């Protein structure tokens, strides 16, 4: 019995749309699918097209249609154009290269690429160019290349984009399309021109050789662009009075790639860029789209400074445009150029800051990122005011990034310690729960190092706790500070503001309150318990503290329990060690900070200024080490243990030094080491670090300095300190000065010591020794000398002076006896 | 290049999906869901650009339909707006005062037109006239006059 003809597509659509519920729709679909399946089983050629079309509709509604995949192939193989059209559409929608079925298409496509009707060829090219897998592309690349050379512009433009797809899937095939590109740009047809420019762009982006090869096209591209601009009205390609803006934009983009890093090409396109930048109509989006692309090109190539300023000013005008989209792209572009053209972008700072108040979320975010990039020592106060205001009022999504950015900016450019602390307080109190976890240890370190502000800081933090204990980062930092500086708090020593009157019991009330509060996280509880413990050496209410500690010895929270038990042990068996263990933290050495990755390193200032303001060299802190110490000390206490750094000097091969220095044991120079510190046969670091005074404010006066090297205007002096807990470590600071009339750049100091010693070199303050003794390069060397042998050293100096490289080796033998005995 | 182009209604119903990258079915479904959620949540008078993963999303509403596409970083988003507009213009020329219903009932035509405008995520023809002519000629090729007179061929 013959089945009735399957219902037509549009009728099905109409029927399905009458369904009032999802269930009803599903029922209709299932019924129809069943009918379609049987129809497929009957191998009915007449209605296959109709059925697949219906299937595609149902697929769009979200229903499975995989059983139609093979049918699409049959349609593609059919001779009827209608069949092919639907078949190829179905293939593009239902098949993807993950299925083996799609490979069966290859032969059909190959035949259709050679079909006598260009619209069939077009279907094949389109399908191949949208979803062809690598295998298909390999098989059919030859056909595509042939069509790229045809004179039929309808096919030529499609072949060009198909070639782009082939190259994307199988980059090795790029070469074979090279000959066909020869006269692509002489075409008059805009479709071919446009797709050719896309093809050339793809090739240049992928291959530096292609890029150099195609640079010769710059004059031709410039000419085409010029004709577009100068030509009269062409209705076929006109958009709001601009002739073929799509083509203009692609040419500008290709010019950008060709001109980048190349003086000649950049010069050849200078005039046309200026012309486009000044003459393009800006009343509609299309004109601004072209200007946008032009600006991107100007900024990327080696353009004259006048042109660059023109570009930045265009962006500045964009910022004032009513159209939000224009403002958005302006901010995005300025963000890209802020590193290279910092001063020019600074001029638009106030407009950018105004964008922080924009209602559009995307614009606000861009404005925030850009604002951080523009902060520097000169504008820090004003900018911070705006950014803090923004932090108050912005969406929660922004708060974490904004807070991190503010911390980073404050750290780099704070005009005073008081200002810095106040800014941190402001962030913690307004956005305290959004602050990133790593801010807490960073802030603690900062506070520790601001010695004169301790009393002020702890007082402010204490007052903040009285107001609100819900913001965990704030609470953690506050607990830590109270634990450290609680004595300053109760003795009312604050100078910066009116000291508050608070008793030991009140302070302990607050800390104990944190322990029991539901708002406190386990980490916070840990902080407050440790803080309470620390106060045992600062307060007199010993009994109360002992009681708290013993109660938590049976806490369900394992972390708290462990701490409490250990603290209890301190009270009972190790009471003699307690004062030393809980002593005030020494100044911590600076670790690398983590800020939002887009914040610029140097906002118009050089790196060396940042380094100069920190007299302590930087040490990279292995996180695992710090965490080990966390348990007993209850905070991210940074113990100044000796480690090697990862300095920023260019790496020198340890090998070359080895050759020259023969039997001497070798360390020094930049060698990135693993995170573990140099092994010392000493009692555990823990106590070392804790009982030591800060390493660097030592008895320097006792050991006389010496001149280690004096030649060709370069003088290197050594000054000494003995490391307190460990008398076997000598800490030498080298001071390099240069009395000649030219700077010594790329200055690298390396040292080697005999086998019985161990040596560590920390990073230098800079690698330029300025002329005329205008400054010095300092670097710290630590030498371990357990056998107390006479210290001797071989040093190697390399630098560039007046353009020539200089290298010298020297022995240093005149160490004062106090430095090693 | 454009990664995908989606058309959906204000209720989040999908009307067209063009993918220029190979992605498994469930991933496509997820992306469609993300796009409709994100775009429909946008307040009026906000800019037409969004950031999603490492792509730039450009969307524009025309009557009851949202046109939404995803671009790579180096693509010009202002120009993408022009591309979307060009597509709408083409649909309008073909259907005459195009509305959502036209696209629902003639979705395959909408795809055919799109396939003359874009290929592999790039624009293949910048002349409106040229595209209209190609589509008309292709329609003519459909086997019988009856089919051409827009009595449904299937």
């Amino acid at each position: 019995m013959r089945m009735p003809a399957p219902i037509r597509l549009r009728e099905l659509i109409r029927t399905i749309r009458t369904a009032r519920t999802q269930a009803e729709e599903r029922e209709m679909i299932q019924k129809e699918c069943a009918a379609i399946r049987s129809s497929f089983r009957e191998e009915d050629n007449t209605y296959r097209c109709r059925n697949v079309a219906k299937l595609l509709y149902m697929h769009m509604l979200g229903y499975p249609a995989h059983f139609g995949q093979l049918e699409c192939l049959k349609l593609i193989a059919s001779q009827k154009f209608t069949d092919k059209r639907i078949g190829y559409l179905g293939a593009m929608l239902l098949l993807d290269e993950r299925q083996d079925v799609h490979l069966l298409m290859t032969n059909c496509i190959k035949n259709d690429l050679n079909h006598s009707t260009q619209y069939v060829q077009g279907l094949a090219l389109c399908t191949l160019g949208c979803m062809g897998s690598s295998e298909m592309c390999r098989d059919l690349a030859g056909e595509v290349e042939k069509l790229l050379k045809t004179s039929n512009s309808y096919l030529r433009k499609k072949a060009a984009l198909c070639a782009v797809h082939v190259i994307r899937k199988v980059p090795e095939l790029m070469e074979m399309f090279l000959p066909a590109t020869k006269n692509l740009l002489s075409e008059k047809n805009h479709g071919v021109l446009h797709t050719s420019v896309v093809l050339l762009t793809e090739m240049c982006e992928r291959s530096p050789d292609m890029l150099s090869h195609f640079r010769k096209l710059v004059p031709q591209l410039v000419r085409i662009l010029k004709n577009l601009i100068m030509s009269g009205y062409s209705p076929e390609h006109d958009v709001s009075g601009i002739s073929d803006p799509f083509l203009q934009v692609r040419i500008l983009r290709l010019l950008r790639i060709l001109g980048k890093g190349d003086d000649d090409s950049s010069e050849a396109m200078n005039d046309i860029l200026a012309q486009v930048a000044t003459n393009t109509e800006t009343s509609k989006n299309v004109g601004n789209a072209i200007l946008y692309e032009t600006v991107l090109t100007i900024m990327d190539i080696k353009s004259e400074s006048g042109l660059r300023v023109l570009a930045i000013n265009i962006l500045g005008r964009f910022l004032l445009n009513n159209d939000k989209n224009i403002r958005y792209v302006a901010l995005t572009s300025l963000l890209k150029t802020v590193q290279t053209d910092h001063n020019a972008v600074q001029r638009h700072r106030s407009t950018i800051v105004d964008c922080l108040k924009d209602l559009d979320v995307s614009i606000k975010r861009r404005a925030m990122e850009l604002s951080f990039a523009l902060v520097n020592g000169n504008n820090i106060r004003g900018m911070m005011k705006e950014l803090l205001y923004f932090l108050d009022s912005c969406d929660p999504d922004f708060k974490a990034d904004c807070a991190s950015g503010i911390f980073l900016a404050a750290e780099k450019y704070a005009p005073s310690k008081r200002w810095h602390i106040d800014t941190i307080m402001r962030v913690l109190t307004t956005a305290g729960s959004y602050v990133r976890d790593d801010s807490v240890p960073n802030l603690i370190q900062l506070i520790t190092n601001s010695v004169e502000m301790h009393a002020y800081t702890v007082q402010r933090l204490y007052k903040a706790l009285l107001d609100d204990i819900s913001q965990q980062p704030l609470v953690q930092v506050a607990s830590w500070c109270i634990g450290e500086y609680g004595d300053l708090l109760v003795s009312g020593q604050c100078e910066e503001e009116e000291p508050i009157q608070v008793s030991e019991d009140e302070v302990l009330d607050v800390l104990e309150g944190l322990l029991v509060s539901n708002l406190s996280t386990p980490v916070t509880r840990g902080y407050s318990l440790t803080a309470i413990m620390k106060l045992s050496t600062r307060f007199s209410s010993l009994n109360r503290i002992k009681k708290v500690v013993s109660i938590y010895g049976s806490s369900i929270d394992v972390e708290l329990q462990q701490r409490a038990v250990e603290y209890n042990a301190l009270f009972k068996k190790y009471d003699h060690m307690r004062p030393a263990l809980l002593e005030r933290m020494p100044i911590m050495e600076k670790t690398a900070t983590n800020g939002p990755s887009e914040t610029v390193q140097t906002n118009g200032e050089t790196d060396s200024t940042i380094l100069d303001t920190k007299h302590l060299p930087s040490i990279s802190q292995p996180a695992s080490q710090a965490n080990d110490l966390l348990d007993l000390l209850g905070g991210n206490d940074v113990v100044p243990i000796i480690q090697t750094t990862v300095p920023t000097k260019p790496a020198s091969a340890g090998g070359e030094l080895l050759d020259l220095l023969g039997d001497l044991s070798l360390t020094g120079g930049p060698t990135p080491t693993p995170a573990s510190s140099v092994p010392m046969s000493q009692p555990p670091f823990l106590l070392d670090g804790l009982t030591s005074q800060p390493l660097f404010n030592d008895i320097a006066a006792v050991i006389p300095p010496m001149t280690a090297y004096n030649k060709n205007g370069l003088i290197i002096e050594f000054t000494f300190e003995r490391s307190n807990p460990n008398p076997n470590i000598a800490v030498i600071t080298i001071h390099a000065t240069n009395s000649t009339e030219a700077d010594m750049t790329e200055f690298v100091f390396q040292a080697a010591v005999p086998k019985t010693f161990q040596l560590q070199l920390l990073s230098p303050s800079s690698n330029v020794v300025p002329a005329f003794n205008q400054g010095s390069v300092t670097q710290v060397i630590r030498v371990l000398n357990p056998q107390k042998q006479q210290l001797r050293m071989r040093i190697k100096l390399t630098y560039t002076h007046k353009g020539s490289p200089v290298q010298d080796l020297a022995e240093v033998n005149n160490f004062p006896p106090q430095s090693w005995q | 290049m454009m990664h995908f182009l989606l058309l959906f209604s204000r209720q989040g119903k999908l009307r067209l999906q063009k993918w220029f990258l190979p992605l498994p079915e469930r991933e496509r479904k997820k992306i469609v869901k993300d796009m409709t959620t994100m775009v429909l949540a946008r307040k009026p008078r906000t800019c037409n650009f969004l950031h999603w993963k490492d792509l730039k999303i450009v969307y524009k509403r025309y009557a009851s339909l949202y046109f939404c596409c995803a671009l790579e970083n180096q693509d010009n988003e202002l120009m993408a707006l022009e591309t979307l507009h060009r597509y709408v213009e083409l649909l309008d020329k073909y259907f005459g005062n195009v509305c959502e219903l036209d696209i629902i009932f003639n979705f395959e035509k909408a795809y055919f037109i799109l396939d003359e405008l874009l290929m592999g995520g790039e624009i293949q023809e910048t002349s409106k006239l040229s595209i209209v002519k190609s589509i008309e000629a292709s329609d003519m090729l459909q086997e019988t006059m009856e089919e051409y007179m827009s009595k449904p061929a299937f």
Side-chain angles (χ1 to χ4, degrees):
Chain A
M1 191 201 127
R2 257 214 84 195
M3 303 285 288
I7 73 168
R8 295 178 184 275
L9 169 66
R10 321 236 186 260
E11 210 171 302
L12 176 69
I13 296 176
R14 207 167 293 129
T15 312
I16 291 178
R17 283 171 64 79
T18 63
R20 278 160 301 167
T21 64
Q22 184 74 354
E24 215 182 312
E25 183 185 275
R26 207 176 306 131
E27 210 185 299
M28 292 179 186
I29 303 264
Q30 275 171 355
K31 192 162 149 235
E32 185 57 36
C33 276
I36 292 177
R37 279 185 142 111
S38 3
S39 190
F40 284 161
R41 273 196 296 269
E42 284 177 18
E43 295 285 342
D44 188 315
N45 289 341
T46 327
Y47 296 112
R48 182 176 288 122
C49 186
R50 180 181 295 186
N51 286 326
V52 169
K54 287 187 287 185
L55 204 53
L56 292 180
Y57 177 73
M58 296 188 288
H59 175 252
M60 183 139 64
L61 292 179
Y63 295 93
H66 46 272
F67 57 91
Q69 285 167 359
L70 271 173
E71 303 300 314
C72 294
L73 294 180
K74 293 177 193 169
L75 283 174
I76 291 173
S78 155
Q79 286 312 306
K80 289 170 71 171
F81 184 66
T82 315
D83 283 356
K84 283 188 190 287
R85 244 183 162 185
I86 296 292
Y88 277 118
L89 178 60
M92 284 194 272
L93 285 173
L94 300 181
L95 290 173
D96 71 73
E97 57 183 47
R98 284 149 226 273
Q99 285 127 17
D100 301 324
V101 173
H102 90 281
L103 274 175
L104 298 173
M105 271 200 292
T106 314
N107 224 28
C108 282
I109 295 186
K110 186 165 188 175
N111 292 335
D112 283 343
L113 283 175
N114 291 301
H115 203 275
S116 49
T117 311
Q118 67 175 17
Y119 297 108
V120 174
Q121 290 173 292
L123 286 176
L125 280 167
C126 184
T127 308
L128 182 59
C130 280
M131 56 154 312
S133 63
S134 320
E135 297 93 340
M136 277 170 76
C137 288
R138 257 183 245 273
D139 284 342
L140 300 170
E143 305 295 327
V144 176
E145 198 260 344
K146 245 174 22 194
L147 287 170
L148 191 51
K149 297 192 283 217
T150 174
S151 54
N152 178 331
S153 45
Y154 178 76
L155 292 176
R156 207 167 185 207
K157 74 186 183 196
K158 288 181 189 270
L161 284 187
C162 203
V164 170
H165 179 83
V166 169
I167 291 171
R168 283 176 181 158
K169 291 306 255 192
V170 194
E172 309 90 77
L173 291 176
M174 183 163 36
E175 290 284 329
M176 72 181 283
F177 293 108
L178 187 53
T181 62
K182 222 168 151 134
N183 48 9
L184 275 178
L185 290 184
S186 344
E187 266 276 356
K188 291 278 178 277
N189 179 291
H190 281 223
V192 178
L193 268 177
H194 186 278
T195 57
S196 302
V197 171
V198 174
L199 175 58
L200 292 169
T201 307
E202 188 72 29
M203 291 168 103
C204 291
E205 277 175 340
R206 284 181 182 270
S207 156
D209 289 335
M210 291 285 184
L211 181 55
S212 333
H213 173 80
F214 284 126
R215 277 222 174 89
K216 61 178 191 268
L217 293 177
V218 169
Q220 202 173 358
L221 288 165
V222 168
R223 250 195 327 268
I224 298 174
L225 189 52
K226 196 162 184 153
N227 285 338
L228 283 173
I229 299 170
M230 309 290 270
S231 69
Y233 177 70
S234 150
E236 203 180 336
H237 301 109
D238 179 88
V239 179
S240 304
I242 297 181
S243 189
D244 207 339
F246 299 100
L247 182 56
Q248 288 194 34
V249 162
R250 282 318 297 233
I251 292 179
L252 286 164
R253 188 162 146 186
L254 180 54
L255 286 175
R256 174 154 82 243
I257 294 167
L258 294 173
K260 186 165 183 165
D262 189 85
D263 288 320
D264 291 332
S265 303
S266 299
E267 202 185 313
M269 55 181 82
N270 206 73
D271 285 346
I272 191 68
L273 290 174
Q275 204 177 345
V276 177
T278 36
N279 290 341
T280 306
E281 182 65 48
T282 60
S283 56
K284 294 265 177 70
N285 177 65
V286 60
N288 288 317
I290 294 177
L291 277 178
Y292 175 39
E293 196 76 34
T294 311
V295 164
L296 291 177
T297 301
I298 293 174
M299 299 315 292
D300 242 19
I301 64 171
K302 298 189 143 203
S303 39
E304 297 170 357
S305 60
L307 198 53
R308 293 182 88 84
V309 171
L310 179 59
I312 303 255
N313 288 345
I314 290 177
L315 293 179
R317 279 207 306 278
F318 274 5
L319 279 179
L320 300 167
N321 196 305
N322 281 331
D323 187 336
K324 285 189 188 301
N325 295 332
I326 310 285
R327 293 210 294 281
Y328 180 86
V329 306
L331 288 170
T332 311
S333 314
L334 285 169
L335 202 53
K336 286 191 203 145
T337 63
V338 73
Q339 316 250 11
T340 45
D341 294 80
H342 188 85
N343 292 331
V345 180
Q346 279 281 2
R347 267 182 239 124
H348 300 279
R349 195 177 67 242
S350 54
T351 323
I352 292 167
V353 166
D354 280 341
C355 290
L356 286 172
K357 304 192 183 84
D358 201 300
L359 294 166
D360 185 314
V361 149
S362 318
I363 290 180
K364 273 202 275 226
R365 178 166 280 280
R366 286 278 176 274
M368 179 184 83
E369 289 165 357
L370 196 47
S371 299
F372 281 124
L374 289 175
V375 172
N376 63 27
N378 294 329
N379 59 34
I380 178 73
R381 284 186 194 268
M383 286 297 276
M384 199 52 86
K385 239 162 92 186
E386 298 284 350
L387 289 165
L388 284 169
Y389 180 74
F390 177 69
L391 181 65
D392 279 343
S393 53
C394 68
D395 293 340
D397 311 329
F398 286 94
K399 294 211 192 227
D401 286 333
C402 190
S404 296
I406 289 178
F407 285 146
L408 201 67
E411 205 174 311
K412 278 195 179 140
Y413 303 111
S416 76
K417 291 228 152 106
R418 163 83 192 257
W419 181 96
H420 197 169
I421 302 280
D422 284 342
T423 304
I424 292 174
M425 289 297 308
R426 177 87 184 268
V427 174
L428 286 178
T429 47
T430 54
S433 27
Y434 299 98
V435 153
R436 294 216 165 82
D437 291 337
D438 63 1
S439 312
V440 173
N442 286 339
L443 291 174
I444 287 176
Q445 181 179 63
L446 187 67
I447 292 169
T448 310
N449 291 350
S450 315
V451 177
E452 63 277 21
M453 304 297 299
H454 285 167
Y456 173 68
T457 311
V458 68
Q459 176 161 301
R460 286 213 56 191
L461 284 167
Y462 178 78
K463 287 201 277 191
L465 274 190
L466 293 177
D467 274 337
D468 172 20
I469 60 168
S470 65
Q471 305 193 85
Q472 300 304 292
L474 171 61
V475 175
Q476 287 167 12
V477 174
S479 311
W480 192 92
C481 281
I482 295 174
E484 270 297 295
Y485 312 120
D487 49 323
L488 299 178
L489 186 59
V490 298
S491 61
Q493 285 185 26
C494 183
E495 281 171 9
E496 300 281 340
E497 62 175 23
E498 185 70 31
I500 57 170
Q501 314 285 6
V502 61
S503 70
E504 291 184 2
D505 275 323
E506 284 170 315
V507 174
L508 288 170
D509 284 342
V510 168
L511 288 176
E512 283 187 50
L514 295 175
L515 274 173
V516 304
S517 166
N518 287 335
L519 297 168
S520 298
T521 61
V523 172
T524 305
R525 292 205 177 91
Y527 271 89
S528 60
L529 184 62
T530 305
I532 293 174
M533 185 60 188
K534 282 194 201 167
L535 290 174
S536 71
T537 55
R538 292 157 175 77
F539 282 5
S540 50
S541 351
L542 219 55
N543 286 330
R544 180 171 175 179
I545 294 176
K546 278 188 186 171
K547 214 165 119 204
V548 173
V549 166
S550 75
I551 290 174
Y552 278 89
S554 39
S555 161
I556 315 173
D557 180 332
V558 173
E559 174 68 35
L560 273 184
Q561 194 193 102
Q562 180 177 353
R563 283 177 197 231
V565 164
E566 285 172 2
Y567 295 159
N568 245 335
L570 261 187
F571 273 128
K572 301 223 160 67
K573 285 198 283 180
Y574 299 99
D575 206 43
H576 57 285
M577 281 167 63
R578 189 169 48 87
L581 270 176
L582 302 177
E583 209 179 51
R584 184 88 89 227
M585 275 287 129
I587 296 187
M588 302 177 195
E589 317 236 304
K590 196 75 198 68
T591 65
T593 49
N594 309 308
S597 52
E598 268 159 288
T599 307
V600 178
Q601 266 293 91
T602 58
N603 293 344
E605 300 161 5
T606 55
D607 255 325
S608 55
T609 53
I610 298 171
L611 284 168
D612 285 348
T613 54
K614 303 202 192 313
H615 298 294
L616 309 173
S618 57
I619 298 182
S620 64
Q621 193 63 244
S624 55
Q625 285 260 1
N627 286 335
D628 291 342
L629 305 173
L630 247 173
D631 291 331
L632 204 45
L633 299 173
N636 219 354
D637 304 305
V638 178
V639 174
I641 42 183
I642 294 176
Q643 298 166 8
T644 46
T645 60
V646 184
T648 52
K649 295 183 288 193
S652 76
E656 35 176 88
L657 265 187
L658 260 168
D659 290 339
L660 296 164
L661 296 172
D663 63 326
L664 295 186
S665 96
L666 220 309
T667 32
T671 38
T673 56
S676 59
S677 56
V678 174
M680 314 278 241
S681 51
Q682 307 294 331
F685 288 128
L686 198 53
L687 293 175
D688 261 354
L690 283 177
T691 56
S692 75
Q693 297 286 335
L695 274 183
F696 296 94
N697 63 355
D698 227 317
I699 28 163
V702 177
I703 311 174
M706 61 174 265
T707 303
Y709 178 91
N710 184 347
K711 214 162 143 195
N712 298 327
L714 174 64
I715 298 180
I716 300 188
E717 280 226 336
F718 285 2
T719 57
F720 300 91
E721 290 136 13
R722 283 305 265 270
S723 168
N724 233 353
N726 193 339
N728 295 330
I729 299 177
V731 181
I732 306 170
T733 307
I734 72 151
H735 306 260
T737 50
N738 165 15
S739 61
T740 69
E741 72 270 29
D743 290 350
M744 293 170 178
T745 57
E746 293 160 298
F747 178 79
V748 174
F749 172 90
Q750 289 165 317
V753 286
K755 285 204 183 68
T756 52
F757 297 77
Q758 279 184 50
L759 179 149
Q760 259 165 11
L761 207 51
L762 308 182
S763 7
S765 57
S766 94
N767 35 30
V768 174
V769 193
F772 298 118
N773 293 324
Q774 278 171 26
S776 66
V777 165
T778 58
Q779 193 165 3
V780 173
I781 311 170
R782 283 193 241 225
V783 183
L784 174 66
N785 181 7
Q787 296 178 26
K788 292 219 185 286
Q789 297 212 345
Q790 177 172 18
L791 184 53
R792 54 191 180 95
M793 203 184 267
R794 231 179 240 175
I795 63 177
K796 179 176 174 188
L797 307 159
T798 50
Y799 56 91
T800 304
H801 190 236
K802 295 181 183 171
S804 331
V806 178
Q807 187 177 292
D808 198 8
L809 289 172
E811 286 243 22
V812 184
N813 290 324
N814 51 332
F815 284 95
Q818 303 96 313
S819 66
W820 48 269
Q821 271 170 354
Chain B
M1 64 177 266
M2 200 181 278
H3 281 210
F4 55 80
L5 174 69
L6 305 172
L7 264 67
F8 47 86
S9 71
R10 276 188 297 187
Q11 290 77 37
K13 293 214 117 150
L14 191 63
R15 299 303 180 204
L16 185 143
Q17 50 175 336
K18 188 74 192 175
W19 301 89
F20 297 111
L21 278 184
L23 289 169
E25 183 75 35
R26 55 186 153 73
E27 189 149 343
R28 292 185 185 188
K29 284 197 162 155
K30 172 123 203 328
I31 292 177
V32 170
K33 191 148 182 286
D34 285 350
M35 288 301 121
T36 48
T37 315
M38 264 189 349
V39 169
L40 293 174
R42 290 284 275 181
K43 301 195 183 69
R45 284 192 299 277
T46 50
C47 72
N48 296 79
F49 310 130
L50 281 172
H51 234 84
W52 181 79
K53 302 204 174 163
D54 60 340
L55 296 173
K56 300 198 264 203
I57 307 295
V58 178
Y59 71 93
K60 191 152 168 136
R61 202 183 113 214
Y62 287 90
S64 60
L65 267 184
Y66 282 90
F67 288 65
C68 169
C69 63
L71 305 175
E72 291 175 343
N73 240 318
Q74 65 271 32
D75 294 323
N76 185 327
E77 50 267 67
L78 294 179
M79 218 50 211
L81 284 174
E82 294 299 319
T83 306
L84 294 178
H85 192 75
R86 175 56 61 93
Y87 184 41
V88 173
E89 282 178 325
L90 289 166
L91 290 169
D92 193 66
K93 191 95 194 355
Y94 186 81
F95 290 108
N97 283 332
V98 67
C99 64
E100 190 182 346
L101 273 180
D102 290 318
I103 300 187
I104 293 171
F105 279 93
N106 301 281
F107 67 92
E108 85 281 6
K109 297 269 171 51
Y111 276 107
F112 297 153
I113 295 170
L114 186 59
D115 285 343
E116 290 297 319
L117 177 63
L118 297 171
M119 192 205 285
E122 308 279 2
I123 290 184
Q124 77 179 265
E125 179 58 69
T126 59
S127 156
K128 253 188 298 190
L129 188 60
S130 181
I131 294 181
V132 168
K133 278 193 184 152
S134 305
I135 290 288
E136 282 175 356
S138 298
D139 284 351
M140 287 264 252
L141 271 185
Q142 294 197 184
E143 260 57 42
T144 63
M145 280 307 282
E146 184 188 81
E147 286 161 346
Y148 174 65
M149 299 298 275
S150 74
K151 267 211 192 150
F154 35 80

